[in-house]
């Protein structure tokens, strides 16, 4: 496994790429140019600037230099953005797992590594950041994809490496809400599940981690449409991102209205769930029932 670094935010060229996209968009708009006009003047494909400004591609420093020249950005401001482009192209630790990671998931890992807060609701499984190796192995093996032994083990390693962000001094604030079905469903075996539930309680007892469980008695709730993750970042210039995983593709929502809607849904989930103390009590009882 890669060695943990002192700073969570040092791990994420993904956030730098996202920041660069925002800055370049801002400079183009300040210059009074549309994407189409900028593409025409540079004799680029119309889709090139779109991909850069939406973070779908990481431009070479020379391309950023051309854009900034067109936008009239000079001096230290230009130099800083070109350096940001260089840093955004540095590979993260997950680069060595590209053979088993789809590109959208690489993006998520990069954003997660830079997050200051993570709000996660799960209705089916324990969140990946809190999974034990045996539980993670069982979840991946039982997933929608048919994977070989080596692929499963590499994905387990990815999951465990992701968890290193919770061991750092500037670790993110993790708030997890799960449906009671998550702690009642026996994944792997009773032994594996019991160990997982004890690990979940231990994690919830640490600072900067909150666990809440929505009991079956709550009936329908705001999470019946599926799981969600809201990632917050330390700088106000980096807007929150909502991540929704689906079988056919992952969604990243950044519009203020979308983030607000999911944030309200998460608040409603917290209000419906048991208190953190009662949630840990319920989880302990679920573990004891497997003895």
């Amino acid at each position: 496994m890669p060695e943990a670094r002192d700073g969570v935010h040092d791990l994420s060229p993904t956030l730098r790429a996202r920041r660069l996209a925002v800055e370049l968009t801002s400079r183009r708009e300040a210059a009074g140019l549309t994407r189409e006009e900028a593409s025409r003047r540079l004799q680029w494909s119309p889709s090139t600037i779109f991909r850069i400004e939406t973070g779908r591609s990481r431009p070479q420093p020379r391309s950023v230099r051309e854009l900034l020249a067109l936008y009239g950005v000079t001096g230290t401001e230009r130099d800083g953005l070109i350096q940001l482009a260089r840093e955004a192209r540095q590979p993260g630790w997950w680069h060595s797992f590209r053979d088993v990671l789809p590109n959208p998931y690489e993006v998520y890992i990069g954003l997660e590594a830079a997050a200051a807060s993570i709000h996660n609701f799960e209705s089916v499984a324990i969140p990946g950041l809190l999974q034990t190796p045996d539980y993670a192995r069982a979840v991946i093996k039982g997933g929608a994809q048919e994977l070989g032994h080596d692929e499963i083990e590499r994905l387990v390693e990815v999951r465990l490496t992701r968890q290193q962000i919770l061991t750092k001094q500037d670790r993110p604030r993790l708030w997890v809400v799960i449906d009671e079905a998550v702690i009642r469903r026996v994944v792997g075996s009773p032994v594996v599940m019991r160990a997982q539930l004890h690990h979940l309680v231990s994690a919830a007892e640490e600072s900067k981690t909150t666990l809440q469980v929505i009991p079956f008695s709550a009936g329908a709730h705001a999470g019946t449409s599926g799981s969600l993750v809201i990632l917050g970042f330390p700088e106000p210039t980096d807007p929150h991102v909502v991540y929704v995983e689906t079988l056919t593709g992952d969604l990243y929502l950044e519009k203020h209205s979308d983030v607000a809607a999911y944030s309200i849904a998460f608040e409603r989930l917290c209000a419906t769930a048991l208190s953190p103390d009662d949630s840990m009590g319920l989880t302990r009882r679920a573990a004891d029932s497997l003895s």
Side-chain angles (χ1 to χ4, degrees):
M1 250 179 238
E3 291 182 0
R5 303 185 192 178
D6 292 335
V8 165
H9 314 306
D10 293 340
L11 292 174
S12 188
T14 305
L15 186 61
R16 295 190 181 102
R18 186 168 177 256
R19 198 171 287 173
L20 178 65
V22 171
E23 294 291 346
L24 291 176
T25 302
S26 174
R27 300 308 188 280
R28 175 182 57 75
E29 292 174 345
L33 296 171
T34 65
R35 287 174 180 165
E36 292 74 18
E37 289 171 335
S39 298
R40 187 173 60 253
R41 292 198 190 184
L42 292 171
Q43 298 183 335
W44 290 2
S45 165
S47 64
T48 300
I49 293 181
F50 171 79
R51 292 180 64 81
I52 290 173
E53 292 187 354
T54 56
R56 299 186 184 186
S57 66
R58 300 183 185 186
Q60 294 280 356
R62 64 174 179 273
S63 298
V64 173
R65 189 177 291 107
E66 291 182 50
L67 286 169
L68 297 176
L70 176 62
Y71 303 157
V73 179
T74 60
T76 57
E77 184 180 9
R78 177 199 60 195
D79 295 343
L81 290 172
I82 292 172
Q83 179 60 29
L84 186 60
R86 293 192 185 99
E87 294 170 351
R89 292 183 62 82
Q90 296 298 312
W93 62 259
W94 50 91
H95 184 80
S96 61
F97 293 92
R98 296 187 73 183
D99 58 314
V100 293
L101 290 179
N103 183 63
Y105 193 50
E106 285 188 66
V107 173
Y108 175 77
I109 292 174
L111 292 174
E112 179 186 71
S117 65
I118 302 172
H119 291 174
N120 187 185
F121 167 72
E122 295 291 344
S123 59
V124 176
I126 302 291
L129 289 177
L130 300 178
Q131 291 179 6
T132 64
D134 287 338
Y135 182 94
R137 189 171 291 109
V139 168
I140 293 169
K141 185 177 181 180
Q145 293 181 304
E146 293 186 6
L147 301 171
H149 172 77
D150 291 346
E151 292 175 301
I152 292 172
E153 290 306 309
R154 283 177 62 72
L155 287 172
V156 170
E157 187 176 358
V158 169
R159 196 152 299 183
L160 298 180
T161 306
R162 282 174 52 206
Q163 294 175 6
Q164 290 184 11
I165 65 172
L166 299 181
T167 67
K168 296 174 172 53
Q169 186 174 1
D170 58 348
R171 57 154 287 180
R173 181 76 176 82
L174 177 62
W175 196 309
V176 168
V177 180
I178 57 176
D179 192 278
E180 184 176 347
V182 174
I183 62 174
R184 297 297 184 184
R185 178 177 291 104
V186 178
V187 174
S189 70
V191 173
V192 169
M193 193 63 197
R194 185 166 60 248
Q196 172 63 78
L197 294 179
H198 285 312
H199 175 72
L200 186 61
V201 171
S202 295
E205 290 174 337
E206 297 176 0
S207 62
K208 289 194 172 183
T209 298
T210 299
L211 169 69
Q212 288 187 265
V213 180
I214 299 177
F216 289 142
S217 60
H221 54 71
T224 52
S225 59
S227 303
L228 65 94
V229 181
I230 305 173
L231 301 172
F233 303 96
E235 297 297 329
T237 52
D238 296 319
H240 286 36
V241 176
V242 174
Y243 172 75
V244 180
E245 184 177 3
T246 71
L247 186 61
T248 56
D250 302 333
L251 300 178
Y252 294 90
L253 307 175
E254 301 183 45
K255 289 176 56 178
H256 178 74
S257 57
D258 292 334
V259 173
Y262 277 90
S263 297
I264 291 172
F266 190 82
E267 290 174 2
R268 291 178 61 194
L269 289 166
C270 292
T272 303
L274 298 174
S275 69
D277 286 343
D278 289 343
S279 295
M280 284 193 286
L282 181 60
T283 304
R284 289 191 187 96
R285 291 193 295 276
D288 292 342
S289 71
L290 294 169
S291 301

